[in-house]
Amino acid sequence: MATATNATANKASTTGIRVRKITPFLWFDDQIEDAVNFYVSTFDNSRVLNIARGPVGVGGAKGRVFTASFELAGQEIMALNGGPQFKFTEAFSFFVDCETQEQVDALWERLTSGGGEESQCGWLKDKFGLSWQIVPRQLGEMLQDKDPAKAKRVMEAMLQMKKIDIAGLKRAYDQR
């Protein structure tokens, strides 16, 4: 969980190339329509923006979804039914910043349902193979504590968890 220093985080780039926006683009084998519907039904402030169906020979059978754009919690995402050439890996994941244990629990349950897989330290893969980090805000706050002993205890506790448990982190943080 790397973070920029305050000086770096607050400094705007003056030499970068200006673009309108950057949008994540996901490559699915052939399950884009199910995935998009699943994702927009999972997160509040989410919607399908566009579904493009391909003609025969483009993306498969006539009428099959070829590309889609959608928003998850206000973040625009594009997707393609591109075939089996590429698979998702943990090298790309969506980081979900949660406020409460209830959010962590609900998202964990929903995203691992139907064949998803739990991993370590708040990571999981959903039934489409996409990786997610379901992380309570409190974890970052505790890891950045000025007392390195507290931060170390929290890190050690987190490394033992699959789904992050705020109460377990707090117990480690408060140990003397």
Side-chain angles (χ1 to χ4, degrees):
M1 187 177 214
T3 59
T5 63
N6 285 341
T8 304
N10 293 328
K11 183 180 176 187
S13 172
T14 56
T15 59
I17 299 168
R18 184 181 301 258
V19 297
R20 191 169 71 83
K21 66 180 172 178
I22 297 174
T23 304
F25 193 98
L26 304 176
W27 179 301
F28 290 89
D29 181 359
D30 64 357
Q31 66 277 56
I32 189 173
E33 192 163 19
D34 290 340
V36 167
N37 289 329
F38 176 72
Y39 298 144
V40 299
S41 71
T42 298
F43 294 93
D44 192 30
N45 190 27
S46 300
R47 63 191 174 121
V48 176
L49 300 172
N50 184 51
I51 297 285
R53 297 186 184 276
V56 173
V58 177
K62 182 178 180 179
R64 182 171 163 255
V65 174
F66 183 56
T67 63
S69 60
F70 57 105
E71 285 183 356
L72 290 185
Q75 168 67 53
E76 186 173 346
I77 300 166
M78 296 182 68
L80 167 76
N81 261 341
Q85 295 90 332
F86 302 107
K87 302 289 182 204
F88 294 123
T89 74
E90 291 81 357
F92 177 86
S93 63
F94 282 109
F95 182 95
V96 183
D97 185 15
C98 297
E99 290 292 324
T100 66
Q101 188 67 51
E102 291 76 21
Q103 284 180 323
V104 170
D105 294 346
L107 287 170
W108 194 267
E109 176 67 29
R110 176 82 169 142
L111 291 169
T112 58
S113 69
E117 301 172 18
E118 296 182 345
S119 190
Q120 291 299 116
C121 307
W123 289 63
L124 62 84
K125 280 189 178 185
D126 67 29
K127 61 186 172 183
F128 302 104
L130 186 60
S131 291
W132 298 82
Q133 296 179 63
I134 309 302
V135 181
R137 168 189 48 77
Q138 296 87 338
L139 174 61
E141 293 169 356
M142 291 180 202
L143 288 175
Q144 294 177 21
D145 194 274
K146 290 179 179 164
D147 181 343
K150 285 183 174 184
K152 182 179 184 220
R153 289 192 306 266
V154 169
M155 176 63 80
E156 289 170 351
M158 187 261 314
L159 290 172
Q160 301 303 310
M161 298 176 182
K162 289 188 176 203
K163 178 177 67 174
I164 303 296
D165 173 52
I166 298 170
L169 296 176
K170 183 93 171 96
R171 282 191 299 277
Y173 182 84
D174 289 338
Q175 284 180 356
R176 303 274 177 233

